[in-house]
Amino acid sequence: MNILAIESSCDEFGVSIMVDGKIKSNIISSQIKDHEEFGGVIPELASRLHVKNFAYVLQTSLKEAGVKIEQINQVAYTAKPGLVGSLIVGKLVAQTIALYLDVPIMELNHLEGHIYAASIEEDFDYPVLALVVSGGHTQLVYIKKSLSFEIVGTTQDDAVGECYDKVARAVGLGYPGGPKIDKLAQEGNELKYKLPISKNDETLDFSFSGLKTASLNLINKIKQNNKELNILDFCASFQKTAIDTLVTKLEKAIKIYKPKTLTIAGGVSANKMLRKKIFEISSMYNIGRTIIPKIEYCNDNAAMMAKLCNEYLINKK
């Protein structure tokens, strides 16, 4: 079975080829440099660049995999959630290929793909508890059996990645803010500045608007008092609070659902502190399997969609 998968939900256009359950190529056209000057993703620009770049990405992915387009048996693409224009470009490319080859096409959920990215090289042992963390989403998802997704906790306002980006912009770090704050945080004193953990209650839902507001107020207060913000200590303090917010809810969910596998998914799963914390928590609660996706599978990519498609095909059989 040769699967061609397309991911185009935001500012990356990706094409991946999977052959008999193994990823053979995973090519991504990133637009970070195109959106940096605007401090975030411009939807119309993202979709235009997808139209410009998709042919190169498609050809390169097929070439790297050593597969001809006529050998594709199944096409899959991200149908939701995401930027409407970007999703439409991916859908049209996928539909055109499937129609030309007369092969089946499968529409997929972007967040489900992120979760199954962790199982590209290691199989899940069910039930699984996944912490989905990205620029647009923060969720706790319980997967009792293969493809059985239950959202048990979600953000009530900002996503954690969105919070990182807005705070990074406020201190002049630019976009994307997550990797930059993570890097600087390694050298700072995480106890220097006190920031609140929002929605610290018994639910499994998250809130990051309070942390964002408190961070912006702290930055403005220091400026008004003509003092200098220690950027290293601030990044360390902010990151500690953000990760503690995630970990607090994750631990509550572990006690309730008692998973056999613990995993993280989404762009923020590349965060060094979060990756370290996941292993510490897993050890603390004696969870049998802890799977963290490779860095290349953390951000938006088509390999995760190929893996998800393959999982659906296996279950269908």
Side-chain angles (χ1 to χ4, degrees):
M1 171 63 73
N2 298 331
I3 299 171
L4 186 154
I6 293 173
E7 156 57 31
S8 67
S9 62
C10 193
D11 60 333
E12 283 99 3
F13 193 95
V15 176
S16 178
I17 307 298
M18 173 179 273
V19 178
D20 296 332
K22 301 293 182 182
I23 298 296
K24 296 299 182 180
S25 65
N26 185 36
I27 306 300
I28 303 169
S29 172
S30 177
Q31 301 175 7
I32 289 178
K33 291 184 179 179
D34 298 286
H35 298 276
E36 272 182 340
E37 62 178 296
F38 304 107
V41 177
I42 305 300
E44 185 176 345
L45 176 60
S47 55
R48 285 182 178 181
L49 289 173
H50 286 339
V51 173
K52 178 182 177 181
N53 298 327
F54 82 82
Y56 170 78
V57 177
L58 174 61
Q59 291 168 0
T60 304
S61 191
L62 288 165
K63 183 178 180 180
E64 184 174 299
V67 174
K68 295 181 179 180
I69 189 73
E70 291 80 11
Q71 294 175 298
I72 296 299
N73 310 116
Q74 172 76 54
V75 175
Y77 71 96
T78 300
K80 62 179 182 180
L83 302 178
V84 175
S86 294
L87 290 171
I88 288 174
V89 175
K91 178 180 180 179
L92 290 175
V93 174
Q95 287 179 330
T96 302
I97 294 172
L99 184 63
Y100 169 72
L101 298 175
D102 192 24
V103 298
I105 187 170
M106 185 182 297
E107 58 180 49
L108 298 169
N109 183 288
H110 176 73
L111 298 180
E112 294 178 6
H114 268 308
I115 292 172
Y116 272 87
S119 71
I120 288 176
E121 297 186 355
E122 291 186 61
D123 293 330
F124 285 151
D125 186 8
Y126 297 95
V128 177
L129 182 63
L131 175 63
V132 181
V133 280
S134 68
H137 303 88
T138 303
Q139 296 178 343
L140 281 166
V141 183
Y142 177 64
I143 308 103
K144 188 175 182 179
K145 59 182 181 179
S146 179
L147 302 173
S148 173
F149 302 97
E150 180 186 356
I151 299 173
V152 296
T154 188
T155 181
Q156 301 298 292
D157 37 63
D158 293 351
V160 62
E162 179 185 1
C163 185
Y164 264 89
D165 286 340
K166 288 179 178 177
V167 171
R169 187 161 60 241
V171 293
L173 293 179
Y175 172 85
K180 296 174 182 178
I181 289 179
D182 187 24
K183 183 178 180 179
L184 295 177
Q186 311 305 315
E187 304 175 44
N189 175 10
E190 63 183 23
L191 301 178
K192 177 66 178 292
Y193 299 108
K194 301 296 181 183
L195 294 166
I197 294 180
S198 302
K199 200 166 176 58
N200 191 10
D201 55 20
E202 294 306 310
T203 72
L204 297 180
D205 292 328
F206 303 90
S207 172
F208 286 95
S209 64
L211 174 58
K212 176 191 67 179
T213 301
S215 298
L216 298 180
N217 287 342
L218 174 63
I219 294 166
N220 291 331
K221 184 177 180 181
I222 290 174
K223 287 181 179 179
Q224 289 171 359
N225 292 333
N226 294 318
K227 293 182 180 180
E228 186 175 345
L229 179 75
N230 186 310
I231 190 65
L232 298 179
D233 291 345
F234 173 77
C235 286
S237 300
F238 169 82
Q239 174 148 287
K240 179 183 184 302
T241 307
I243 300 302
D244 283 351
T245 302
L246 294 170
V247 168
T248 298
K249 298 294 186 173
L250 179 59
E251 288 192 63
K252 292 180 189 298
I254 289 171
K255 293 174 183 177
I256 296 171
Y257 293 98
K258 299 175 175 57
K260 290 184 178 179
T261 299
L262 185 64
T263 189
I264 51 177
V268 183
S269 65
N271 183 280
K272 291 180 180 178
M273 183 177 180
L274 179 58
R275 292 169 82 89
K276 180 182 177 182
K277 283 284 187 181
I278 291 298
F279 282 111
E280 292 177 356
I281 293 171
S282 182
S283 177
M284 186 187 308
Y285 290 94
N286 297 312
I287 297 174
R289 177 165 293 184
T290 304
I291 304 178
I292 293 181
K294 283 188 172 182
I295 294 297
E296 58 261 40
Y297 299 141
C298 290
N299 292 319
D300 294 350
N301 66 92
M304 67 187 194
M305 307 314 294
K307 175 64 178 181
L308 181 63
C309 174
N310 193 56
E311 191 74 14
Y312 272 106
L313 292 174
I314 292 172
N315 274 260
K316 186 177 181 180
K317 290 179 181 179

